[in-house]
Amino acid sequence: MKSLSIIGSGRIVEEHIKAAISSNIKVQYIYSSRKDSKNAVRLSKRYKIKNIKIFKEFIFLSKKAESHILIAGQISKNSFYLKECLKNKKKIFIEKPIFFKSREFKKFLPYKNQIFVGFNRIYYKNIWILKNIISKSKNLTINCFCPEINESRIISNSSHIISLLIFLFKKPKLFYKDKKKGSIFLRYKLPRNNLLNLFINFKAIGNFKMEIISTDYFIELPSIEELKIYDKLIKIKYRNNNIYKLKSSHSSSEYNLNSIKPGILFQMHAFQKFCQGKKIINNLKFAQNTIEICEQIIK
């Protein structure tokens, strides 16, 4: 993979550009549907990318340059972008969630070998460490806390967390749901007799958080970017009282790995391998499954 052309000029685009440059990928062209986009002009100047203002010209030049395409524009235009970009017969990297309705994925599933979906959090190093630990574990209890602004943000934002749950535990099976005005509580059955409790609270103060409880360890992600593993209880004497505290055997943060937004660089490396023919986890079906669970939560 030698070159990439980009649709979109939002904040995430600059992180993708930095990841591409760090991976020795030349970013050829950038297009924004926003007329005279100031950010597209800024990115063009900063990273020496040609800013193309007409979409047809962008498609033509990208094809001529044999450039793969990254789509990170307005979600409402993704169906149009995909139809046009697929004609170039190059690999496409498109930001999640792609669509707001799971049924919209159906017409593009025949092109699944051409499309890579940007769920950057499944490329966190911490998440891969966690997956290795729990891959064969049984009888786990997983508590996942999702503070959210409102219901409509579940697909556009909480889908990140749902994608992690699918990546770690496969597609969960819902067996209990309690929906109230300010919250939604769901319980899911997982493989190997594991149990997932999902708490969604609207306008709550806090981070996305996950706890994994086992007889052998307690794992905490106080934010999705942090991983803490505890495997011992230590006794501390305090004023004639015994106090028990968890002892950490591992602590790490995604922010210590590189200066690019967490997961974005490793995700770009995975896209490079995808362009060379390697299979991926975050394909169209994975994205569709993620949105189906989000829809299940909302209804």
Side-chain angles (χ1 to χ4, degrees):
M1 178 184 173
K2 295 182 179 179
S3 71
L4 187 69
S5 296
I6 299 175
I7 296 171
S9 59
R11 284 185 299 171
I12 193 67
V13 168
E14 185 162 15
E15 299 301 313
H16 288 306
I17 291 171
K18 289 189 284 187
I21 292 169
S22 296
S23 305
N24 295 316
I25 300 166
K26 180 175 176 55
V27 183
Q28 295 271 16
Y29 308 108
I30 187 168
Y31 164 81
S32 175
S33 61
R34 292 185 176 89
K35 191 176 181 180
D36 299 320
S37 167
K38 291 181 180 179
N39 209 32
V41 171
R42 181 183 67 83
L43 294 171
S44 175
K45 289 180 179 178
R46 177 175 288 186
Y47 298 101
K48 298 179 181 179
I49 306 166
K50 291 181 182 179
N51 181 19
I52 310 300
K53 297 183 179 182
I54 300 169
F55 184 70
K56 285 186 178 180
E57 184 182 357
F58 171 85
I59 291 293
F60 172 78
L61 291 171
S62 299
K63 185 175 183 179
K64 189 177 180 180
E66 296 187 345
S67 177
H68 299 291
I69 295 176
L70 189 152
I71 302 173
Q74 296 177 45
I75 294 171
S76 61
K77 295 184 178 181
N78 276 347
S79 183
F80 169 74
Y81 289 146
L82 278 173
K83 284 178 184 176
E84 295 303 312
C85 293
L86 283 166
K87 294 174 184 177
N88 280 10
K89 296 182 180 179
K90 287 292 181 179
K91 301 294 187 182
I92 296 169
F93 179 146
I94 183 167
E95 271 292 345
K96 66 89 191 172
I98 307 182
F99 304 119
F100 290 121
K101 300 288 184 183
S102 60
R103 64 175 180 267
E104 294 183 65
F105 286 83
K106 189 176 180 180
K107 58 190 171 185
F108 293 104
L109 288 176
Y111 305 98
K112 61 183 180 181
N113 294 329
Q114 203 173 330
I115 301 170
F116 177 105
V117 187
F119 284 101
N120 64 295
R121 283 168 177 81
I122 71 170
Y123 288 99
Y124 281 9
K125 186 177 180 182
N126 284 342
I127 296 302
W128 284 82
I129 292 171
L130 178 57
K131 188 174 178 66
N132 286 333
I133 293 170
I134 65 173
S135 60
K136 296 180 181 178
S137 297
K138 299 178 181 178
N139 305 312
L140 298 175
T141 297
I142 300 98
N143 297 320
C144 187
F145 302 89
C146 298
E148 198 51 272
I149 297 171
N150 52 47
E151 206 170 88
S152 64
R153 289 272 292 173
I154 289 173
I155 288 178
S156 62
N157 191 47
S158 293
S159 54
H160 266 308
I161 303 304
I162 302 304
S163 71
L164 284 183
L165 295 173
I166 294 174
F167 174 68
L168 291 169
F169 305 106
K170 298 186 178 179
K171 192 173 181 180
K173 295 181 180 179
L174 179 68
F175 72 92
Y176 178 80
K177 179 178 176 181
D178 182 18
K179 188 175 182 181
K180 297 177 181 177
K181 185 178 179 180
S183 66
I184 307 173
F185 170 65
L186 308 101
R187 304 195 87 181
Y188 295 90
K189 289 181 180 179
L190 302 170
R192 298 185 298 278
N193 203 37
N194 295 324
L195 178 70
L196 167 65
N197 297 312
L198 178 58
F199 302 84
I200 297 175
N201 297 94
F202 300 116
K203 297 181 181 179
I205 296 173
N207 292 317
F208 288 102
K209 184 172 74 171
M210 193 184 301
E211 300 172 343
I212 300 174
I213 303 164
S214 162
T215 54
D216 299 317
Y217 53 74
F218 174 75
I219 298 176
E220 179 186 22
L221 288 86
S223 71
I224 304 305
E225 288 72 30
E226 300 173 89
L227 175 65
K228 295 182 179 181
I229 302 171
Y230 306 90
D231 55 11
K232 285 183 181 178
L233 269 176
I234 56 173
K235 184 169 71 174
I236 300 171
K237 203 82 173 176
Y238 180 74
R239 293 181 181 177
N240 206 32
N241 293 307
N242 291 328
I243 298 173
Y244 294 88
K245 289 189 175 182
L246 288 165
K247 184 178 180 181
S248 175
S249 60
H250 176 92
S251 180
S252 55
S253 170
E254 294 298 313
Y255 292 111
N256 296 331
L257 298 176
N258 55 68
S259 61
I260 301 171
K261 183 178 173 69
I264 295 289
L265 180 58
F266 299 133
Q267 181 178 240
M268 186 60 71
H269 293 166
F271 182 60
Q272 283 181 299
K273 292 176 182 177
F274 176 67
C275 292
Q276 295 164 2
K278 188 173 180 179
K279 289 185 179 181
I280 53 169
I281 296 164
N282 48 312
N283 55 25
L284 273 181
K285 191 61 184 174
F286 179 90
Q288 186 182 39
N289 287 340
T290 300
I291 302 308
E292 282 175 349
I293 292 176
C294 291
E295 289 173 333
Q296 190 181 62
I297 292 168
I298 294 167
K299 70 178 182 182

